[in-house]
Amino acid sequence: NAVERFLTQLQDDINQAMEEISHRIAGPDFNPPVLAIKGYNSFTFETPHDGGTGTGCRGLIIYDFAMLQISDLPVLAHDTNILKQCDDQAVEGIMEEYGASQKQIFLAFDRADRYTPRVNAIADKHTVITLGPDGRTLYGHAWNKKAAQ
């Protein structure tokens, strides 16, 4: 069946890309995430022998990078919350991937002091806009504050 062959090829392409990206991010000693497409409407996504939260977040990021790599998607957006569960080595590898990408990546990155100097150096090198309190808000004001009386 043509659809089954397509799904198998897609699964294999994604898994191959995830294995390569996982090797760069986490190193060769860690299992990469694995996608198993089961028919038309079912799949599993897991990292073998590790169901931890940090590994799950790293796996999701690796999947996103794989999709960015093998597809025509022009952009990737991540929020800082996805990085908070990852260990420092993984965050360094993830930041290296962000920095090496030829496609546009948006990362909301906060609490930089929590991360290693290498992570901060990569973030500083690629930062386009920095937001914060005291006049450093997007569009000139904080949307979550009550209007001045």
Side-chain angles (χ1 to χ4, degrees), residues 98-109:
Y98 287 143
S101 179
Q102 298 300 307
K103 294 186 179 181
Q104 183 73 52
I105 295 181
F106 296 95
L107 173 63
F109 185 69

Side-chain angles (χ1 to χ4, degrees), residues 11 23 36 40-41 49 73-74 80 86 92 107 110 118 133 144:
Q11 170 188 286
H23 182 83
Y40 299 108
N41 60 0
H49 312 292
L73 289 173
T80 192
C86 297
E92 284 187 8
L107 173 63
D110 63 5
R118 179 70 186 133
N144 61 342

